[in-house]
Amino acid sequence: MTGAVTHDPPPAAEGRQGRPLIVTEDAELLDDLLRLCAAAGATPEVHPSVPERRGSWESAPLVLVGDDAARRVRGAARRRGVVLVGRDQDDPGVWRRAVEIGADHVLMLPDGEQWLVDRIADVAEGVGRPALTVGVVGGRGGAGASTLACALAVTSAREGMRTLLVDADPLGGGLDVLLGGETTEGLRWPAFAASRGRVGGGALEESLPELHQLRVLSWDRGDCVAIPAQAVRAVLAAARRRGGTVIVDLPRRVDDGVAEALAQIDVGLLVVPAELRAVAAAGRVSSAVGMVLSDVRVAVRGPYAPGLDDREVARLLGLPLVGEVPVESGLLRPDGGKAPPGAAARGPLARFCKEFWERALVEAGGV
């Protein structure tokens, strides 16, 4: 059980990072709190009452006060991020004690363990502004969505942003191959298939292959072609908490896992070749994606069929136009042995991607 006493957010919401503080003399409760801190990847500071060292109480990003210690911290300076932790679900006095010490929340173990692990993990990771997350999907097969996704990621990393490229299409051949890194060590999607609840953002980032100054979550060469929706939700949430940019290469079908990915995407780019059959197919893809993602925009790729240009394609689809994706050899015929898409900083594809990020980041208020 958890309960809120005030509506003020704890310091973790402001991106402040540090060690949580535990105040208790209850050995059994302390063992539980230490276990939960370990599960969240945090090393706490422990005291039986308000720390004598000046500033420790005030500066800790999160304070966990055992119900046994409520009286001992009653005169401490009021601050946000204080959680009163107890075990007696039927004790009506716990709310009075929470108000007396200025606690934001009352938490009862064991029911509130997952909530507390998430809150401690927020502190350990220093949660701040979430990553600007962009999904890329082809209007039809061979539209060049995977290559554009790679080019966006390579450009983002070159501009100095923390960047994660996520391959959400198990039948696409693997973005690590497109980037020339299929043999690079690191975890792939099947390793996260059993993920539930919260995944540590820092641990996720460090476990993935690093290619061209960005991290890549792709598929291995095994038989796994589906990841449970809960795992997709947990992994993408962890990726977003790290900030920077996340680029997701999406399949054209929408199953439960893809729906979870779409729910965490800020902007969707629908890549559409400028031909009538492609526009017709893209209309169906747009309808499916648009059921979950509200901000879908069209990126048009030439050459153009007679009577079509980028504005006409956008009009037919009823979507905002991002622009014309430049035609480069890497976009039409990806080759893992060559430089990755967008690697040439002065090339037309890299310029397109750079302009996209500049606009998107301004719209998002910076990342």
Side-chain angles (χ1 to χ4, degrees):
M1 182 190 79
T2 64
V5 178
T6 75
H7 297 287
D8 290 331
E14 300 170 359
R16 194 168 78 184
Q17 193 169 0
R19 299 175 61 189
L21 173 65
I22 297 176
V23 180
T24 185
E25 286 185 330
D26 184 329
E28 185 178 353
L29 179 61
L30 177 59
D31 285 344
D32 282 337
L33 293 178
L34 291 175
R35 172 176 56 84
L36 298 178
C37 285
T43 302
E45 182 178 345
V46 181
H47 291 272
S49 60
V50 178
E52 295 181 1
R53 180 166 57 87
R54 184 177 180 182
S56 184
W57 170 271
E58 292 82 5
S59 64
L62 181 68
V63 178
L64 307 178
V65 178
D67 197 23
D68 66 289
R71 291 183 180 179
R72 297 193 296 275
V73 304
R74 192 178 295 168
R78 294 300 176 103
R79 50 152 296 163
R80 293 179 295 161
V82 175
V83 180
L84 182 63
V85 185
R87 295 182 181 280
D88 188 353
Q89 304 270 3
D90 299 320
D91 179 9
V94 68
W95 297 100
R96 172 181 52 78
R97 293 190 292 276
V99 171
E100 289 175 348
I101 67 173
D104 294 329
H105 287 84
V106 172
L107 180 138
M108 292 296 169
L109 299 180
D111 292 354
E113 285 193 357
Q114 186 57 58
W115 182 91
L116 188 54
V117 169
D118 289 348
R119 181 57 54 83
I120 297 170
D122 282 343
V123 169
E125 292 182 3
V127 172
R129 183 188 296 273
L132 174 58
T133 306
V134 176
V136 186
V137 60
R140 65 155 170 79
S146 295
T147 304
L148 179 57
C150 287
L152 286 168
V154 169
T155 303
S156 170
R158 186 170 52 242
E159 294 298 310
M161 290 181 283
R162 173 184 278 121
T163 305
L164 173 60
L165 176 61
V166 178
D167 187 351
D169 186 358
L171 303 180
L175 293 186
D176 54 350
V177 177
L178 183 54
L179 291 170
E182 61 270 25
T183 61
T184 304
E185 291 187 1
L187 299 183
R188 267 67 174 179
W189 263 120
F192 300 98
S195 299
R196 299 292 186 275
R198 184 184 180 107
V199 174
L204 171 69
E205 183 177 22
E206 293 173 4
S207 71
L208 299 177
E210 184 175 7
L211 300 167
H212 311 287
Q213 298 179 300
L214 60 97
R215 298 286 179 165
V216 182
L217 177 53
S218 189
W219 299 85
D220 60 14
R221 312 284 84 85
D223 297 330
C224 178
V225 294
I227 299 295
Q230 303 97 310
V232 174
R233 182 192 312 129
V235 169
L236 282 183
R240 284 173 55 82
R241 286 196 302 271
R242 295 292 286 170
T245 66
V246 174
I247 301 91
V248 184
D249 182 28
L250 296 162
R252 295 191 306 281
R253 72 183 189 286
V254 179
D255 56 20
D256 290 344
V258 175
E260 287 291 350
L262 288 169
Q264 299 196 52
I265 288 173
D266 299 307
V267 179
L269 298 183
L270 180 64
V271 184
V272 184
E275 57 187 47
L276 287 177
R277 287 189 64 192
V279 173
R284 293 190 289 272
V285 175
S286 174
S287 296
V289 170
M291 294 179 66
V292 183
L293 177 61
S294 61
D295 189 351
V296 181
R297 311 176 191 184
V298 62
V300 181
R301 178 172 68 78
Y304 293 95
L308 287 181
D309 59 20
D310 54 357
R311 295 180 183 276
E312 180 63 10
V313 171
R315 187 192 68 80
L316 291 171
L317 291 171
L319 296 173
L321 176 64
V322 171
E324 178 184 349
V325 181
V327 177
E328 288 187 348
S329 58
L331 184 63
L332 296 176
R333 195 168 70 87
D335 185 348
K338 297 180 181 179
R346 297 184 179 181
L349 182 56
R351 292 199 302 271
F352 172 89
C353 293
K354 183 178 181 180
E355 291 172 1
F356 168 79
W357 285 124
E358 289 173 350
R359 294 194 303 268
L361 290 170
V362 169
E363 292 174 2
V367 173

